[in-house]
Amino acid sequence: MTIAHTLGALSVTAGALLAAQSAQAQDNTFINPDWANSAWYIGAGAGQSRATIDEPRLRASLAANGETVTGFSKDQRDTGYKLFVGRQLNQYVAVEAGYFDLGKFDFKSTTSGNGVLNGQAAFRGVNLDLLGQLPLSQRLSLLGRVGMHYTKTNTEFSGNRLLGSTNTHASERKLNAKLGLGLEYKFSEALALRGEVERYRLNDAVGNRGDADLYSVSLVYKLGRPATATPAYQPAPEVAPVVAMPAPVIEAKPAPAPVSEKVSFASEALFDFDQSTLKPQGKAALDQLLGQLTGMDLEVIVTVGHTDAVGSDAYNQKLSLRRAEAVKAYLVAQGVETSRVYTEGKGETQPVADNTSAAGRAKNRRVTVEVVGTRKVMR
C-alpha cells in the first residue's frame, strides 16, 4: 500500500468518526463517563515503520563467495498502517486485536565483475494485545501494551549473485512478541487520538531474526450509544411544621423563620464530559430550581462544585470552581442578584462515595446549590 492510499484511508476513517461525533453532539446526547470504561471500540492508524537490514552479514556472505562489494544501498523505512478493534475492560485495561502491514524493506548491492544482488522483505500479520491506560488527567492517558503477533514474511532475492541459493522467494509465518508505548488524548467520551511506538520481533524467512518499529498516529472511536440521563430537580423534602394549639385570641402572627434548601445535581446532568459550559438540559434543571423559589424572600445562594479523584488535585480543583461559577452566571442571568450568589470549588476533597468504583465516582461528580431565604406568608 502506498503512503497516499494509506493516508487516504485514514482520512476517510477520520471524517466518518468526526461526522458521527458531530451528529451525536447535535442530538445533545448525554454521554456517561462510566459507559466509556466498558465500551467496544474500533480504530485505524498510519505512520512510519523502520527495520534493520543486516549489511555486515550480507557483505560477509558475498566475500565468502569470492565477491568484492563495490556498492551497497538499503531502504530501512516505509509506511506502515494498522486496523484494530478492542474492548475496554475497565478504566485502566483493554484487550485489542488488529491487522497490520509494516511495509517493505530492501537493499541493492553491486560486486566486482558486474555482479548484482538485490533483496526485499515485507511483513504483515495480525496481533492480540493487552493495553494498559494510566490517566494523567481526565483527557490525557499514558498507554502501554504487550502482546503477540502472527506475521507472514515474504523475502525475495534477484540478481546474478544469489550465493548459490535456488530459492529466490521465501515465505514464513511466525508467532512473536510485541511491545508498545504511547499517549492517548480524548476529544470526548467516544473519540480519541493516539500516538504510539510499537516494536515487533520478526523473522525474515531466511534464518535471521530482528526487530521492526512502527511509529503511528491513530484515531479511536467507541461504539454504541451511551445511556442517556434526564436531569431532574429533586428538592429536599420540607419538614412539616409542628403546630401548637393557639390561644383563643391571637393578635399578631410571628414572622416566618428563614429556611434552607439544598439540592445536589450530578455533574453529567449539567455539563458535558470535562466541560464547564452548561448544557441545555442543565439550564432546564436550574430553571426548575428557580421556579421553586417563587414566593421566597431570597437571602443567599451557595453553589459548590465537586469532582471524583481521576486526574490531578490541581486540575480537579479548577474544574469544580469553573462549574460552580457557570451555575452562578446562569442564575444571575435569570435575574438573581449577583451579590447574593457565592461559589466554592471543593475538587475531590469531599467525596460522598468510594472513588474506586464507577458508581462511586459518578456520585462524587456533583454540583450542590444551597438556597437560604424566607417563605412569604400567604394572607
Side-chain angles (χ1 to χ4, degrees):
M1 176 176 284
T2 66
I3 187 169
H5 289 163
T6 301
L7 295 179
L10 184 57
S11 298
V12 171
T13 303
L17 297 183
L18 289 171
Q21 182 64 15
S22 175
Q24 199 174 58
Q26 290 173 2
D27 289 340
N28 291 321
T29 303
F30 165 67
I31 299 177
N32 188 328
D34 296 319
W35 157 78
N37 295 332
S38 61
W40 286 90
Y41 62 87
I42 58 173
Q48 186 175 87
S49 54
R50 298 182 182 182
T52 301
I53 293 175
D54 193 353
E55 181 180 346
R57 186 186 69 83
L58 291 167
R59 285 179 175 270
S61 297
L62 289 166
N65 283 269
E67 303 290 340
T68 299
V69 177
T70 58
F72 195 99
S73 63
K74 53 188 176 182
D75 184 358
Q76 302 182 119
R77 300 184 182 184
D78 201 359
T79 298
Y81 71 93
K82 60 180 182 177
L83 305 171
F84 52 90
V85 60
R87 172 69 185 273
Q88 210 56 57
L89 302 182
N90 55 49
Q91 182 182 6
Y92 306 101
V93 180
V95 175
E96 195 171 288
Y99 171 82
F100 63 88
D101 188 333
L102 299 180
K104 298 178 180 179
F105 312 93
D106 54 52
F107 73 89
K108 297 180 181 180
S109 63
T110 57
T111 67
S112 55
N114 295 320
V116 175
L117 175 63
N118 300 325
Q120 183 181 83
F123 306 95
R124 63 182 62 181
V126 293
N127 64 282
L128 180 65
D129 297 344
L130 187 66
L131 183 68
Q133 298 163 298
L134 178 63
L136 303 178
S137 71
Q138 288 182 308
R139 290 184 179 272
L140 186 66
S141 297
L142 179 65
L143 304 180
R145 68 171 69 235
V146 60
M148 303 296 292
H149 65 97
Y150 186 68
T151 300
K152 179 181 179 181
T153 303
N154 290 316
T155 303
E156 298 180 355
F157 294 98
S158 62
N160 54 16
R161 294 293 188 270
L162 297 178
L163 307 178
S165 172
T166 58
N167 187 9
T168 60
H169 178 85
S171 179
E172 185 174 12
R173 292 175 173 84
K174 282 286 186 179
L175 182 67
N176 280 303
K178 68 184 290 275
L179 299 169
L181 286 174
L183 290 172
E184 179 179 273
Y185 182 81
K186 296 180 178 65
F187 296 111
S188 69
E189 287 294 334
L191 185 64
L193 179 72
R194 287 181 186 173
E196 291 185 274
V197 56
E198 296 166 90
R199 171 154 291 183
Y200 297 77
R201 191 68 171 164
L202 296 168
N203 296 72
D204 68 358
V206 290
N208 298 306
R209 188 175 173 88
D211 298 318
D213 297 327
L214 177 62
Y215 301 82
S216 65
V217 175
S218 306
L219 282 170
V220 183
Y221 185 69
K222 292 186 175 176
L223 303 172
R225 198 172 184 85
T228 59
T230 302
Y233 167 74
Q234 295 181 341
E238 294 188 12
V239 178
V242 177
V243 181
M245 291 300 294
V249 178
I250 299 177
E251 296 296 337
K253 294 182 179 180
V259 295
S260 174
E261 297 182 4
K262 191 173 185 178
V263 184
S264 181
F265 297 93
S267 290
E268 290 83 359
L270 302 179
F271 306 98
D272 281 326
F273 173 66
D274 199 29
Q275 299 297 311
S276 57
T277 301
L278 281 167
K279 300 192 298 185
Q281 298 98 314
K283 293 178 180 179
L286 292 176
D287 287 340
Q288 193 172 1
L289 170 62
L290 289 171
Q292 298 292 325
L293 303 183
T294 303
M296 174 181 282
D297 289 329
L298 184 64
E299 294 184 9
V300 67
I301 296 179
V302 181
T303 66
V304 183
H306 302 267
T307 69
D308 60 22
V310 178
S312 68
D313 294 348
Y315 182 86
N316 287 336
Q317 169 63 28
K318 292 177 181 178
L319 178 61
S320 65
L321 182 58
R322 289 200 306 270
R323 286 179 167 175
E325 293 284 359
V327 172
K328 174 182 177 177
Y330 185 75
L331 295 178
V332 171
Q334 302 309 304
V336 179
E337 294 181 31
T338 185
S339 60
R340 296 188 182 275
V341 186
Y342 296 85
T343 59
E344 292 184 70
K346 297 295 186 180
E348 59 188 71
T349 62
Q350 294 185 353
V352 295
D354 190 349
N355 271 305
T356 61
S357 69
R361 290 191 298 272
K363 292 180 180 178
N364 291 332
R365 296 188 295 268
R366 65 197 191 280
V367 176
T368 62
V369 180
E370 184 172 6
V371 179
V372 179
T374 305
R375 290 288 183 187
K376 294 180 181 178
V377 178
M378 301 299 295
R379 297 184 182 274

